[in-house]
């Protein structure tokens, strides 16, 4: 029995509370230090699943494709992220639909702070934190090149900052919608990379990703403006109350603070869009340069074929060139006396 209690500490979310409702009591959860033990357990689970996907799926595909070392590393990275983003996308969509966050957008800020979480919301956040923390030792296990490590560390840090910030500041509902939009765009990007590595002439999914990326950025910016600009300033409880989980909603009554936050959000989204536009322009430039070089090569080949062939004087008879008088044009070799 003692062992079972210890096992539950690792496997199940902790800090459950019975919240009275109109229909009776509802079991919900809040966060605490014991969550670190649960996250640690699921870090090991994520490492095992990562190894299974690598060995039984990605390595078998890599042996058939015969990719270079650079493409091999990028293929493994995109393959792992496609599996993770697809799973998280379906899971996150299920959570936000069943909890009614999409059908009722006002629930994103109503009754803030959202201290008590449903089981599936808390478990989702714990698994997300575990996955992105497991990505740190995976940089060593996967023998990632030194040039790629800073980029991947920035990506991991941004995800951890977003997920942990939403979890600790009781903005879990807003965080779920933002994660759903982000994972949707990332899924199409890494899926397009996988298709490109198998067939370099197939770039159709990159065009789909470009459309999805722009749409998700617009939705993300609109959601920030809606929640930060209009939602949180209308929260009834505006006093600073860390014990109840109300950390900063009182700040949004200050117009200057609210506008500063929105300005930072807009600048960040603008920088993301600028990098995206720069990437698309470079890709289109490479595409048109490749097309023009192919056209020049085809035109040069056609010109060579259209040149008239130089004919020998005389006529051919049984494959031998004869002069006009019937004699062979070759000089006869004189016999030595």
């Amino acid at each position: 029995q003692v062992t079972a209690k210890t096992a539950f500490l690792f496997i199940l979310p902790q800090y459950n509370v019975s919240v009275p409702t109109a229909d009776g009591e509802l079991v919900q959860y809040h966060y605490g230090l014991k969550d670190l033990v649960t996250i640690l357990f699921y870090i090991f689970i994520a490492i095992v699943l990562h190894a299974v996907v690598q060995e039984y799926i990605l390595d078998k595909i890599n042996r058939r494709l015969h990719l270079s070392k650079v493409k091999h590393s990028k293929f493994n990275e995109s393959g792992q992220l496609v599996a993770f983003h697809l799973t998280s996308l379906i899971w996150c969509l299920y959570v936000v639909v069943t909890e009614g966050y999409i059908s009722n957008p006002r629930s994103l800020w109503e009754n803030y702070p959202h201290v008590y979480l449903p089981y599936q919301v808390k478990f989702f956040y714990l698994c997300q934190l575990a996955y992105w923390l497991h990505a740190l030792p995976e940089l060593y296990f996967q023998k990632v090149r030194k040039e790629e490590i800073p980029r991947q560390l920035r990506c991991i840090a941004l995800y951890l900052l977003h997920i942990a910030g939403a979890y600790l500041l009781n903005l879990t509902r807003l965080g779920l919608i933002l994660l759903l939009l982000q994972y949707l765009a990332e899924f199409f990007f890494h899926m397009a990379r996988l298709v490109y590595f198998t067939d370099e002439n197939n770039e159709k999914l990159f065009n789909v990703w470009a459309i999805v990326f722009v749409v998700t950025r617009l939705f993300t910016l609109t959601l920030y403006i809606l929640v930060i600009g209009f939602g949180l300033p209308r929260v009834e409880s505006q006093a600073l109350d860390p014990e109840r989980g109300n950390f900063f909603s009182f700040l949004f009554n200050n117009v200057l603070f609210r506008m500063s936050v929105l300005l930072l959000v807009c600048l960040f989204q603008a920088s993301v869009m600028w990098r995206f536009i720069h990437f698309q322009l470079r890709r289109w430039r490479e595409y048109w340069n490749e097309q023009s070089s192919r056209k020049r090569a085809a035109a040069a080949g056609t010109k060579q074929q259209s040149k008239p062939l130089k004919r020998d004087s005389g006529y051919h008879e049984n494959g031998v060139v004869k002069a006009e008088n019937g004699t062979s044009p070759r000089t006869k070799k004189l016999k030595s006396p």
Side-chain angles (χ1 to χ4, degrees):
Q1 194 174 7
V2 176
T3 308
K5 290 182 179 180
T6 307
F8 289 151
L9 180 64
F10 283 90
I11 298 172
L12 298 177
Q14 304 299 310
Y15 303 105
N16 55 316
V17 179
S18 296
V19 180
T21 60
D23 300 330
E25 290 187 350
L26 181 65
V27 177
Q28 292 192 328
Y29 297 81
H30 59 95
Y31 61 80
L33 290 177
K34 292 181 181 178
D35 290 342
L36 297 176
V37 179
T38 310
I39 291 173
L40 179 63
F41 174 76
Y42 284 101
I43 286 175
F44 292 118
I45 297 296
I47 291 174
V48 172
L49 292 176
H50 190 114
V52 169
V53 172
Q54 184 66 44
E55 183 174 353
Y56 291 99
I57 299 176
L58 298 178
D59 286 346
K60 290 183 178 180
I61 298 175
N62 273 320
R63 283 194 288 268
R64 294 183 180 180
L65 296 178
H66 304 290
L67 299 174
S68 63
K69 288 185 178 180
V70 176
K71 289 184 177 180
H72 179 85
S73 176
K74 292 182 178 179
F75 185 89
N76 288 337
E77 177 191 356
S78 292
Q80 293 286 349
L81 289 175
V82 161
F84 168 72
H85 285 138
L86 181 60
T87 305
S88 299
L89 189 62
I90 296 172
W91 189 2
C92 188
L93 182 62
Y94 174 79
V95 171
V96 297
V97 169
T98 55
E99 295 296 330
Y101 300 153
I102 292 181
S103 59
N104 183 20
R106 294 173 62 90
S107 64
L108 298 179
W109 62 82
E110 280 184 340
N111 301 321
Y112 178 83
H114 306 132
V115 179
Y116 298 112
L117 308 176
Y119 172 83
Q120 59 180 354
V121 174
K122 175 163 183 173
F123 189 59
F124 177 82
Y125 269 92
L126 294 180
C127 290
Q128 292 294 311
L129 289 171
Y131 179 85
W132 290 109
L133 285 172
H134 111 281
L136 295 173
E138 285 294 342
L139 295 176
Y140 173 76
F141 295 147
Q142 295 293 319
K143 298 180 180 179
V144 177
R145 295 184 306 133
K146 291 183 178 179
E147 303 83 31
E148 292 290 323
I149 289 178
R151 178 185 63 83
Q152 295 199 23
L153 284 177
R154 284 195 301 270
C155 179
I156 295 169
L158 286 174
Y159 273 112
L160 286 174
L161 181 65
H162 170 82
I163 298 169
Y167 184 65
L168 296 175
L169 297 176
N170 301 312
L171 289 168
T172 50
R173 300 179 183 182
L174 176 62
L176 281 173
I177 305 296
L178 294 176
L179 274 180
L180 180 66
L181 295 172
Q182 177 66 20
Y183 285 165
L184 180 63
E186 288 293 307
F187 169 74
F188 278 101
F189 172 71
H190 290 288
M191 195 68 202
R193 283 218 304 183
L194 289 180
V195 174
Y196 175 76
F197 289 141
T198 57
D199 181 10
E200 293 188 355
N201 296 320
N202 191 346
E203 296 187 1
K204 293 180 180 178
L205 266 182
F206 277 112
N207 299 327
V208 177
W209 164 70
I211 297 172
V212 173
F213 182 86
V214 173
V215 173
T216 53
R217 289 303 102 192
L218 291 176
F219 270 105
T220 299
L221 186 59
T222 304
L223 197 61
Y224 271 118
I225 295 174
L226 180 65
V227 175
I228 295 176
F230 299 98
L232 288 177
R234 297 181 181 180
V235 174
E236 295 180 0
S237 177
Q238 295 289 347
L240 176 63
D241 190 359
E243 293 183 0
R244 294 187 61 251
N246 194 343
F247 294 102
F248 58 87
S249 63
F250 72 99
L251 293 173
F252 289 99
N253 274 336
N254 189 329
V255 178
L256 181 61
F257 177 79
R258 188 163 67 245
M259 296 305 296
S260 300
V261 172
L262 289 176
L263 179 61
L264 288 175
V265 170
C266 291
L267 288 175
F268 177 76
Q269 295 298 323
S271 66
V272 172
M273 285 299 299
W274 168 250
R275 289 197 297 270
F276 168 77
I277 293 172
H278 184 266
F279 169 78
Q280 290 296 325
L281 290 175
R282 186 181 62 186
R283 190 168 70 90
W284 288 339
R285 194 182 304 116
E286 291 174 355
Y287 173 77
W288 287 115
N289 289 338
E290 184 180 355
Q291 291 296 320
S292 60
S293 63
R294 286 181 179 179
K295 288 180 181 179
R296 286 195 298 267
T302 305
K303 183 179 282 187
Q304 283 183 351
Q305 291 179 0
S306 62
K307 284 183 179 180
L309 297 174
K310 186 177 180 180
R311 295 183 178 179
D312 296 317
S313 58
Y315 63 95
H316 292 265
E317 182 178 322
N318 295 329
V320 180
V321 181
K322 298 288 184 180
E324 294 182 358
N325 57 2
T327 62
S328 175
R330 292 178 296 182
T331 55
K332 292 183 179 180
K333 187 178 179 180
L334 297 177
K335 295 181 180 180
S336 57

